[in-house]
Amino acid sequence: MSPEPAHEHGTQSRTGILLVNLGTPDAPTAQALRPYLKQFLSNPRVIEMPQWAWWPILNGIILNTRPKKSAEKYAQVWMPEGSPLKVHTERQTQLLRNALVDHTHPAPMVEYAMSIGSPSIAEVLGQMKQQGCERILVLPLYPQYASSSTASAFDEVFAQLGKMRNTPAIRTVKHYHDHPGYIAALAQNVQDYWMKAGKPDKLVISFHGVPRFTLDKGDPYHCECQKTGRLLAEALELQADEYQICFQSRFGRTEWLTPYTAKTLEQLGKQNIRRVDVVCPGFVSDCLETLEEIAMEGKAIFIQAGGQEFHYIPCLNERDDWIQALADIALANLQGWLGLEHSEEQLTQSQRRALEMGAAK
């Protein structure tokens, strides 16, 4: 068991929100990518293969070849402040803090952690506990639930709780793929882009892919992506032939969810579709998979196949309407927890009573 923080009678108990994102390497270098990829690809929810079969592939091939290639891709999108995913997640965390100050008093603590890399879930949970958080809402920044992303984050949270003697109360947000505020923010983001750049011939709605067998085994991710895409298309008043839902980031030889984004862009280029726009609703922050895989690789695939004009529509990032939707999601899941803090008079009385009964200061 981990040592418990020193307890003082009359100390305020706090409510906190822990945002969780996937994670990012500390630098765009092969040295930084190797431990990051090893942690990520060692997760049995990410790679559902027997360890005896997977470990020789991971340690003998992938970790000796992929870090350098991945580092070169990260270097193309790295921001002065660091990894795009981390930068946007930090900004969203601060903006959510600010938004909740206007709704609740005292406002809940808001922190973020990464499932892979730093700051780790273990580190941030420990800090929140040290600061008196007795109620924590875990809110993954994945709108659509998948075992490999959302459940992995929950696994790590509960693994850390298993090391604590005095655990905080925990609530989790499973998904918000059809939340009205999230859908409205997605639609307005696209509309704002089209107001400046005009509309495309086809809108490609690309989600991160997962192996096909996860759907067959009962993972709801595919269905939730389809619903998000449909609701977004409806909000944009698009006809069925004006948009296409597809899946990117295929890894390995097994079949993944289809249609594949890369093949879809190639086919659209060969069909002489003049302009394609791509939006990625499964990512709330721009990252390697949007800025490099879609905005760079996807564009090259489409143009080389015969397409003329390619536009990538940025993620929600720090949009006001998205931050408000995130606040609404958090507040809905905090019901019954807000307002539990004690007044200064109640805390003073509690401390006095404890001391009268012999408690140590």
Side-chain angles (χ1 to χ4, degrees):
M1 293 283 183
S2 302
E4 287 294 317
H7 176 72
E8 295 183 12
H9 291 280
T11 302
Q12 185 71 269
S13 68
R14 304 182 67 182
T15 298
I17 300 170
L18 177 61
L19 303 177
V20 182
N21 219 325
L22 176 64
T24 181
D26 293 330
T29 64
Q31 292 84 355
L33 260 297
R34 195 175 195 281
Y36 172 78
L37 289 172
K38 184 170 185 178
Q39 183 184 359
F40 177 52
L41 297 175
S42 297
N43 187 330
R45 283 194 186 268
V46 174
I47 304 296
E48 296 188 42
M49 282 178 60
Q51 192 176 85
W52 63 265
W54 173 240
W55 274 67
I57 300 172
L58 175 62
N59 292 283
I61 302 174
I62 293 175
L63 294 180
N64 289 318
T65 59
R66 195 173 174 90
K68 185 176 183 295
K69 296 177 181 178
S70 294
E72 292 170 353
K73 293 182 177 184
Y74 270 103
Q76 295 183 74
V77 301
W78 208 259
M79 301 170 69
E81 308 97 314
S83 160
L85 178 69
K86 191 168 186 177
V87 171
H88 289 302
T89 303
E90 287 175 343
R91 292 174 181 173
Q92 290 168 348
T93 301
Q94 184 58 55
L95 289 170
L96 181 58
R97 287 191 193 113
N98 298 343
L100 291 175
V101 166
D102 298 332
H103 287 84
T104 62
H105 183 76
M109 182 189 309
V110 182
E111 303 292 344
Y112 81 93
M114 300 295 189
S115 292
I116 310 296
S118 63
S120 68
I121 290 173
E123 174 188 351
V124 179
L125 271 180
Q127 292 171 354
M128 296 177 78
K129 186 173 166 62
Q130 286 282 348
Q131 295 178 60
C133 266
E134 293 191 4
R135 299 168 295 276
I136 299 176
L137 175 68
V138 181
L139 204 173
L141 292 171
Y142 314 123
Q144 298 78 25
Y145 172 93
S147 171
S148 55
S149 55
T150 312
S152 289
F154 294 162
D155 284 348
E156 182 60 19
V157 168
F158 286 105
Q160 295 308 315
L161 293 182
K163 301 175 184 179
M164 299 178 185
R165 183 175 299 279
N166 184 14
T167 65
I170 295 288
R171 290 181 183 173
T172 60
V173 178
K174 181 179 180 180
H175 50 193
Y176 40 93
H177 61 291
D178 56 358
H179 187 277
Y182 160 69
I183 297 297
L186 287 175
Q188 192 60 52
N189 184 41
V190 174
Q191 289 170 340
D192 288 348
Y193 189 91
W194 287 350
M195 284 289 291
K196 298 176 182 178
K199 290 184 66 173
D201 299 294
K202 178 84 75 169
L203 177 67
V204 172
I205 304 174
S206 180
F207 294 90
H208 198 287
V210 294
R212 163 69 202 215
F213 67 76
T214 62
L215 171 62
D216 299 332
K217 291 183 176 181
D219 198 308
Y221 179 73
H222 177 264
C223 299
E224 294 189 2
C225 291
Q226 292 289 340
K227 186 171 186 182
T228 296
R230 174 177 61 79
L231 292 174
L232 173 58
E234 290 175 358
L236 293 171
E237 298 182 345
L238 297 178
Q239 300 299 313
D241 62 348
E242 294 180 299
Y243 72 97
Q244 172 70 59
I245 298 170
C246 49
F247 299 88
Q248 64 186 83
S249 308
R250 183 185 178 191
F251 174 77
R253 297 180 179 179
T254 188
E255 180 185 5
W256 280 39
L257 297 179
T258 57
Y260 300 132
T261 300
K263 289 186 176 181
T264 297
L265 291 173
E266 182 181 7
Q267 290 167 359
L268 292 173
K270 290 179 177 178
Q271 292 167 9
N272 295 316
I273 300 296
R274 188 187 69 83
R275 172 178 160 182
V276 161
D277 287 9
V278 183
V279 66
C280 301
F283 302 91
V284 299
S285 299
D286 273 311
C287 55
L288 182 73
E289 286 80 4
T290 63
L291 298 174
E292 194 277 335
E293 183 181 354
I294 296 298
M296 295 180 186
E297 290 185 16
K299 178 179 180 179
I301 291 169
F302 178 68
I303 299 299
Q304 289 171 11
Q308 298 180 37
E309 193 175 345
F310 180 99
H311 291 243
Y312 166 65
I313 301 175
C315 290
L316 295 173
N317 294 327
E318 293 84 49
R319 287 182 59 93
D320 289 343
D321 47 9
W322 158 236
I323 299 302
Q324 184 56 56
L326 190 59
D328 291 342
I329 292 164
L331 289 169
N333 285 275
L334 287 171
Q335 290 188 32
W337 274 4
L338 297 176
L340 292 180
E341 292 81 1
H342 297 292
S343 67
E344 289 299 321
E345 181 181 355
Q346 289 172 320
L347 292 173
T348 300
Q349 290 176 352
S350 173
Q351 185 180 47
R352 177 178 53 77
R353 284 193 297 268
L355 293 174
E356 289 173 351
M357 296 180 69
K361 293 183 180 182

